[in-house]
Amino acid sequence: LQVFQKFYNQDKVQTRESQLKAIKRAFQTLEIEVQVPRITSPILTFSTWRGGDRDGNPYVVASFSNQTFIEQKLFILTHYYQMVKELSDKLNISTKHIAISDALVKSLDRDRIKFPYLTDIKPVEPYRAKIRYIIEKLENTLRLVRSIMRTAGSTTKPLLGQTLPGPAGYNLATEFQEDINVVYHSLVENHGKAQARSLVQDLK
């Protein structure tokens, strides 16, 4: 408990994420190995009452539900964007130390064609390069979601479909997951299991 408290108190703003990080660091410090159970179906599912009370409440109209859906999408995207930005500063592994999988090579080739204007890409740091492309896709998606949200509360027309950015961003959660998975599995397959589990696994 004292080790946990030490790490937890290091955060100026203490949140649920602070607790999870403190638990993780405490276990690592105490060299406690946790056997992660194999999960084949979700343990928890999330739902919301806000914007869904459409059973006669005169104040919950279609435009309010619209705004709620867009706000939730923005919240989730922002959360992942912040996590990936942090990862960019840590996953600066050179190919001199850890190789990359064929799947990651192909994924980088596709991204390079899609985003030729990105010049801050170092070929010797393919993992960081992939993260940079993921950041670009998230930024493009966030930009569109924010623009749609400005009018979400003033229309009854369904708007979630208008927040899909096409090839420049993420239209489905599975697209984001595929990008994260290709990084994770490439690390695991090339003697980078420690980096995969400590840096990337939380995004899976």
Side-chain angles (χ1 to χ4, degrees), residues 3-203:
V3 177
F4 163 76
Q5 200 68 44
K6 171 188 173 183
F7 291 122
Y8 183 56
N9 290 336
Q10 288 178 357
D11 284 342
K12 295 180 180 179
V13 180
Q14 295 170 342
T15 63
R16 181 177 56 186
E17 288 185 2
S18 303
Q19 293 176 341
L20 294 174
K21 287 180 180 178
I23 291 171
K24 184 177 181 179
R25 293 184 65 187
F27 273 54
Q28 291 172 342
T29 301
L30 296 172
E31 297 184 351
I32 299 174
E33 186 175 348
V34 179
Q35 295 295 328
V36 180
R38 187 175 182 82
I39 300 172
T40 57
S41 60
I43 296 175
L44 299 174
T45 57
F46 296 90
S47 58
T48 177
W49 169 85
R50 185 176 184 269
D53 187 18
R54 298 283 292 280
D55 56 353
N57 188 327
Y59 299 103
V60 182
V61 293
S63 58
F64 185 77
S65 296
N66 248 338
Q67 188 170 0
T68 300
F69 297 149
I70 303 298
E71 285 176 356
Q72 289 175 342
K73 183 168 185 174
L74 180 62
F75 176 83
I76 293 169
L77 285 169
T78 302
H79 174 72
Y80 281 116
Y81 175 74
Q82 291 169 347
M83 291 182 70
V84 174
K85 285 283 284 185
E86 290 180 11
L87 183 60
S88 176
D89 296 328
K90 300 174 183 177
L91 205 60
N92 55 353
I93 308 165
S94 169
T95 48
K96 295 178 182 178
H97 302 290
I98 296 180
I100 64 174
S101 66
D102 291 340
L104 181 54
V105 171
K106 293 176 182 177
S107 180
L108 285 168
D109 287 342
R110 290 192 296 268
D111 287 336
R112 197 175 295 113
I113 294 171
K114 195 179 297 182
F115 305 105
Y117 55 85
L118 292 181
T119 57
D120 55 339
I121 302 294
K122 297 180 180 179
V124 295
E125 296 180 351
Y127 291 100
R128 179 179 253 178
K130 182 59 185 177
I131 295 303
R132 178 64 186 89
Y133 288 127
I134 292 173
I135 289 172
E136 181 68 13
K137 294 176 188 178
L138 285 170
E139 286 178 345
N140 291 338
T141 308
L142 279 165
R143 191 178 300 113
L144 179 59
V145 172
R146 290 192 182 105
S147 68
I148 296 298
M149 193 175 72
R150 295 190 189 102
T151 59
S154 60
T155 178
T156 59
K157 184 179 179 180
L159 295 177
L160 275 178
Q162 295 183 29
T163 63
L164 305 181
Y170 291 114
N171 301 286
L172 299 170
T174 51
E175 295 173 353
F176 173 71
Q177 195 64 65
E178 286 171 4
D179 274 348
I180 296 299
N181 283 340
V182 77
V183 173
Y184 180 85
H185 291 301
S186 180
L187 286 168
V188 171
E189 293 166 13
N190 291 280
H191 309 290
K193 187 179 290 186
Q195 291 87 341
R197 290 183 174 176
S198 63
L199 299 176
V200 186
Q201 185 163 289
D202 288 348
L203 281 162

